[in-house]
Amino acid sequence: MAQCAQRILADLRGGRRLDVAGAAFLAAAVELDPILATAEALTLSGHDNAVGWSRKVFIPLTHLCRNRCGYCTFAESPRPGTSAYLGPDEVLAIARAGAEAGCREALLTLGERPELRHPAAREALARLGFDSTVDYVAAMAQRIFDETGLLPHLNPGTLSAEELARLRPYAASMGLMLESTATRLSERGGPHWQCPDKHPDVRLATLRAAGEQAIAMTSGILVGIGETRLERIEALFALRELNDRYGHIQELIIQNFRAKPRTAMALAAEPDLAEHQWTVAMARLIFGPTMSIQAPPNLRPGELAPLIRAGINDWGGISPVTPDHVNPEAAWPHIATLRQETETAGRELVERLALVPAFARDAVRWTAPGVARAILHTTDASGFARDDAWHAGSGAPLPPEAGLSARRAARAASGDLLRLIDEASAGGELFEDGITALFEARGADYLAVVEAADRLRAATVGEGVSFVANCNINYTNICKHRCGFCAFAKGRSAKSLRGPAYVLSADEVGQRALEAHRRGATEVCLQGGIHPAYTGESYLDIVAAVRGAVPDMHIHAFSPLEIRHGAATLGLSPAAFLRRLRDAGLGSLPGTAAEVLDDEVRAKLCPDKLGSEEWLAIVRAAHEVGVPTTSTIMFGHVDTTRHWARHLLQLRQLQRDTGGITEFVPLPFVHMESPLWHKGRSRSGPTAREAVLMHAVARLALHPLIPNIQTSWVKMGPAGAGLCLQAGANDLGGTLMYESITRAAGGLNGQEMDGTGMNRIATSIGRPLWRRNTVYGRASSRENALPPACTETAACIG
């Protein structure tokens, strides 16, 4: 028997799915440890080191219920002089207290259909102006969301399809425990006797109807109410079958029965820890790596590490305001204690919203538009809750935890992550999963990635912080494309908060280049919208104007999108057009318009723009005709960490083939004026942790092929730029005398920074500043003699 169990577990580790026969065999297995080890390995492969939790407030809308469960102390009988329901003001007072305490979720918990049993419930509903409990739940959920911003999670019990549809517009998620599929538990004397809503068929029908309406559901089983191991397996497979069809079960709760005084099961034996572990592990083996599985931490105080070992990746909701009304005898653990126990088990505690991360990333599918907007605006790239109030370009101070002096976690960095760091530092190419894991780093892992990137930067390019004296000239903001992220581009006659549409003539561009030269600039960065009247000759005229005004000015100009447009209007290939531009004086090409080099993202972000392969082909063509380029990523909108990994791998391969990329420039998404953000279809830019990690992971993943990592002070702010220079970056870019793209997006960090400001960033981290040319050679002595008015900052951006 032991050998057969080992084969089953080995197959599961190899990606095979557990079937009913295999699960039944494991139910009879004697050894627990191999089962736990396999469950833990699957959990780590699906969730890395993160263990989620939700900061929520619990609102007991009513304690009346038509069911009489043999273990429940939540349900009460009507009491004279006591309202059957919390009134609207009471509900909102609790919700507001939760919001003030930092909660993000409001869980409405209540008995099922009390009006069908209790006249007091019907009378109270009539006084409140509602026909049913479900109608009242819908009204309160709407008011909670509208008036406090908390995301409602609704637990009203079994529901019809029509009732689910009534609640869906106001719910971030809903919950319905299956508890068990053992119908014998509903027989006389069983825990579900006199509980019409606890019959398995009724509960499964609600879960099925929720799936048909794309409602994210939390479900699960109750362990130890008289069911057998095989009956638990049967319940888990029933849930898996529903999830296979609809994909809507966001999380499983594997909850241990607790005997309570004054209940029919007051003297019943509680399941021991090993039995609870076995059931958690079987849920993980049946559902696989990606399912979110939780156990309430207040029901196993002091025994959380064993639950993590069994396959837990989430602790569910914990309230700083209200007790667990279903288990009032079990106090919530303090978050600091929960964090310590989680870290001691080798994991990182991470806050989430009412939707688990995988569902939060796809909130548009699972929730109504208004709720989806709120979720997207407050999540990070992994789908967890944003952990800071910093936003790119906002001028907000960085959170302390983003820095190298962040709290040292109780746990050490994971061995797998350290092996990835060692491999990258030695110049090895990481795979997509490995780079994604680096981007997901938190706590001790985050510090390990940042510190390794800083060491690698020092070993590769030394201690100096470089910059170039340049000037951004955005010659038109009129654009025929409608990229969802862009607040810079306008129609021919558009006007907005950030100013009207404009076009600079070639002569005006030349005059600005001359002014920049007089102020010490050695480079102009030329980019603009794709003006429908522009042709390739327009771009050639601009180059000629700059060359005529300042013959020795380096012309860093035109994104791959502009190259495509100009080439098409002249009937030329991109390579042929690039040759003409090169011969006219073009020195290098900015690697902007890349956004994220993954067409899944581009289809949402910029569907009418050039695709990933076309961007790569144009940049490759530039290299082949002798025009070097930068490379960029614009991140923090509709993308994920996996998309970032794919982007870096594309750049690494291109650089291996051509060697023409001079630098990599991470550009955090500035959301404030973005149309996509205002429509509720994007996140609010990256968190500070994510922005720092983009620089650090790029240093590791692109080593040694792209040695220069630039940070944008316009996006990051001076303090953020200084932090990134300690996380793998080595360059502050160039002078942005007329920078307007970030400003149009709502950025507040300024358009210029003088030499003193630039030097202040470098000296604040104890590093020397040096001036370079566009392609990272040292500037000449004449070029280094900058007048005091010269402005020096991060390279051209788009």
Side-chain angles (χ1 to χ4, degrees):
M1 178 179 287
Q3 289 183 343
C4 187
Q6 288 173 1
R7 283 197 298 271
I8 293 172
L9 296 174
D11 286 345
L12 293 175
R13 285 175 178 262
R16 186 171 180 177
R17 206 171 192 216
L18 186 63
D19 58 21
V20 175
F25 189 90
L26 292 177
V30 176
E31 287 189 83
L32 180 59
D33 284 347
I35 294 174
L36 297 181
T38 302
E40 184 175 29
L42 293 179
T43 305
L44 289 169
S45 71
H47 299 276
D48 296 316
N49 285 320
V51 178
W53 71 288
S54 174
R55 190 187 302 268
K56 66 173 69 173
V57 58
F58 292 74
I59 303 177
L61 201 63
T62 179
H63 282 270
L64 302 185
C65 183
R66 76 161 174 166
N67 300 308
R68 303 177 184 180
C69 298
Y71 44 78
C72 180
T73 58
F74 177 80
E76 299 174 351
S77 299
R79 290 179 290 176
T82 302
S83 175
Y85 294 82
L86 292 178
D89 290 343
E90 294 173 294
V91 169
L92 289 167
I94 297 172
R96 291 190 182 102
E100 290 171 3
C103 296
R104 304 175 192 251
E105 175 184 349
L107 188 152
L108 272 67
T109 186
L110 58 149
E112 296 194 46
R113 304 181 186 279
E115 65 270 30
L116 298 183
R117 177 182 173 191
H118 299 293
R122 293 193 292 274
E123 294 165 3
L125 285 170
R127 286 194 297 271
L128 289 166
F130 296 95
D131 295 329
S132 71
T133 299
V134 171
D135 288 340
Y136 189 42
V137 170
M140 289 300 96
Q142 181 177 15
R143 289 195 63 184
I144 288 168
F145 178 68
D146 290 344
E147 297 181 34
T148 72
L150 294 176
L151 296 168
H153 175 83
L154 309 180
N155 281 345
T158 55
L159 298 164
S160 68
E162 187 274 334
E163 289 169 331
L164 284 164
R166 202 178 314 160
L167 293 174
R168 190 182 190 278
Y170 319 114
S173 54
M174 298 190 203
L176 180 69
M177 292 287 284
L178 175 58
E179 296 195 9
S180 177
T181 51
T183 56
R184 64 184 182 81
L185 299 182
S186 296
E187 297 173 358
R188 181 182 293 274
H192 292 158
W193 167 243
Q194 294 185 321
C195 301
D197 299 306
K198 290 300 177 77
H199 193 282
D201 290 345
V202 177
R203 299 182 88 74
L204 288 169
T206 295
L207 291 169
R208 185 176 300 107
E212 291 168 351
Q213 298 186 42
I215 296 171
M217 296 295 293
T218 295
S219 190
I221 62 174
L222 192 54
V223 180
I225 56 173
E227 81 295 345
T228 67
R229 279 188 169 187
L230 290 178
E231 286 169 337
R232 284 179 224 153
I233 288 172
E234 177 186 302
L236 290 169
F237 274 101
L239 290 170
R240 192 177 84 171
E241 181 181 354
L242 284 175
N243 196 54
D244 284 348
R245 183 168 183 179
Y246 303 108
H248 69 305
I249 296 179
Q250 67 157 351
E251 185 161 42
L252 293 174
I253 302 175
I254 310 300
Q255 182 168 331
N256 53 311
F257 159 72
R258 295 287 297 268
K260 298 179 176 63
R262 298 183 301 280
T263 67
M265 297 183 68
L267 300 180
E270 298 179 352
D272 62 19
L273 175 62
E275 193 64 18
H276 196 187
Q277 282 184 291
W278 179 88
T279 309
V280 169
M282 289 305 299
R284 174 62 65 200
L285 300 186
I286 290 169
F287 278 85
T290 59
M291 174 57 71
S292 186
I293 299 178
Q294 66 152 283
N298 59 320
L299 302 186
R300 284 283 180 200
E303 298 176 324
L304 302 189
L307 291 177
I308 288 176
R309 185 184 175 213
I312 289 300
N313 68 281
D314 193 271
W315 294 127
I318 298 172
S319 180
V321 179
T322 51
D324 179 354
H325 295 286
V326 177
N327 300 284
E329 78 286 354
W332 297 119
H334 291 293
I335 299 305
T337 302
L338 186 66
R339 185 180 304 281
Q340 183 179 26
E341 290 194 51
T342 302
E343 290 183 347
T344 299
R347 307 296 175 82
E348 189 73 19
L349 189 67
V350 187
E351 187 177 353
R352 63 166 173 86
L353 303 182
L355 280 181
V356 301
F359 279 66
R361 291 197 300 265
D362 199 13
V364 172
R365 174 184 178 188
W366 299 111
T367 63
V371 176
R373 175 197 301 266
I375 291 170
L376 286 173
H377 285 183
T378 51
T379 52
D380 65 16
S382 302
F384 285 103
R386 289 186 68 92
D387 56 7
D388 60 50
W390 179 87
H391 295 94
S394 69
L398 286 164
E401 58 268 22
L404 294 179
S405 59
R407 170 188 57 85
R408 292 284 170 172
R411 68 179 181 89
S414 68
D416 287 343
L417 181 129
L418 293 176
R419 283 188 287 274
L420 289 171
I421 289 172
D422 288 344
E423 185 177 351
S425 298
E429 180 173 356
L430 302 181
F431 294 107
E432 183 180 306
D433 286 348
I435 299 175
T436 301
L438 295 178
F439 277 128
E440 296 282 352
R442 298 172 189 269
D445 289 347
Y446 166 81
L447 293 173
V449 172
V450 168
E451 290 169 350
D454 194 47
R455 289 194 302 270
L456 185 58
R457 181 270 313 157
T460 303
V461 294
E463 292 298 318
V465 174
S466 55
F467 72 99
V468 62
N470 82 340
C471 174
N472 263 25
I473 303 176
N474 305 123
Y475 45 81
T476 182
N477 62 352
I478 296 173
C479 188
K480 68 177 185 178
H481 293 283
R482 290 294 177 267
C483 299
F485 61 87
C486 183
F488 170 75
K490 296 174 173 60
R492 185 179 298 274
S493 59
K495 295 183 179 181
S496 75
L497 178 66
R498 296 285 168 177
Y502 68 83
V503 178
L504 299 180
S505 68
D507 287 343
E508 288 174 308
V509 173
Q511 285 301 308
R512 291 201 180 187
L514 181 59
E515 178 189 347
H517 174 71
R518 289 169 177 165
R519 297 177 64 185
T522 58
E523 171 199 307
V524 288
C525 178
L526 308 173
Q527 291 185 98
I530 306 301
H531 196 299
Y534 275 25
T535 69
E537 295 296 341
S538 305
Y539 300 116
L540 289 163
D541 289 345
I542 289 172
V543 171
V546 174
R547 180 62 65 235
V550 189
D552 60 349
M553 180 71 78
H554 183 99
I555 302 175
H556 181 65
F558 312 134
S559 72
L561 183 62
E562 291 164 288
I563 297 300
R564 183 185 73 170
H565 176 70
T569 61
L570 297 181
L572 298 174
S573 68
F577 183 49
L578 282 161
R579 288 191 193 96
R580 288 192 61 182
L581 288 168
R582 178 200 62 193
D583 294 344
L586 179 68
S588 57
L589 196 75
T592 50
E595 282 52 274
V596 176
L597 294 175
D598 186 288
D599 288 334
E600 178 184 1
V601 173
R602 300 178 81 82
K604 299 176 183 177
L605 198 64
C606 46
D608 65 340
K609 213 168 184 176
L610 74 177
S612 299
E613 289 302 320
E614 194 170 10
W615 187 95
L616 290 163
I618 291 172
V619 173
R620 183 183 297 272
H623 298 168
E624 289 171 350
V625 303
V627 176
T629 74
T630 62
S631 61
T632 65
I633 185 173
M634 196 269 288
F635 65 103
H637 32 74
V638 300
D639 45 358
T640 68
T641 54
R642 189 161 295 276
H643 296 129
W644 302 347
R646 293 171 185 168
H647 184 100
L648 293 183
L649 286 171
Q650 295 267 36
L651 294 181
R652 184 180 175 94
Q653 182 61 52
L654 177 63
Q655 183 73 342
R656 180 187 292 110
D657 294 344
T658 69
I661 298 175
T662 58
E663 64 198 12
F664 175 67
V665 190
L667 302 173
F669 173 54
V670 178
H671 73 280
M672 285 79 81
E673 299 293 338
S674 166
L676 199 69
W677 184 83
H678 281 285
K679 292 176 182 176
R681 291 163 49 199
S682 81
R683 302 194 307 281
S684 302
T687 64
R689 179 188 64 86
E690 291 170 332
V692 172
L693 275 174
M694 180 60 74
H695 296 75
V697 175
R699 169 62 66 188
L700 293 165
L702 298 176
H703 178 71
L705 300 176
I706 302 178
N708 298 302
I709 308 296
Q710 183 184 123
T711 184
S712 167
W713 67 266
V714 174
K715 311 282 190 182
M716 294 298 303
L723 182 56
C724 291
L725 289 170
Q726 300 173 80
N730 63 292
D731 186 73
L732 279 171
T735 58
L736 307 181
M737 298 178 188
Y738 297 105
E739 194 284 325
S740 57
I741 294 176
T742 301
R743 296 284 290 178
L748 302 176
N749 284 326
Q751 294 173 281
E752 298 188 19
M753 182 179 291
D754 62 20
T756 300
M758 188 76 69
N759 194 56
R760 188 178 298 118
I761 294 174
T763 56
S764 71
I765 59 171
R767 302 252 290 277
L769 187 70
W770 66 280
R771 183 175 171 185
R772 63 172 174 86
N773 59 26
T774 303
V775 292
Y776 283 82
R778 284 201 172 267
S780 68
S781 58
R782 180 191 66 80
E783 292 169 336
N784 267 312
L786 297 179
C790 181
T791 57
E792 299 134 14
T793 73
C796 70
I797 55 178

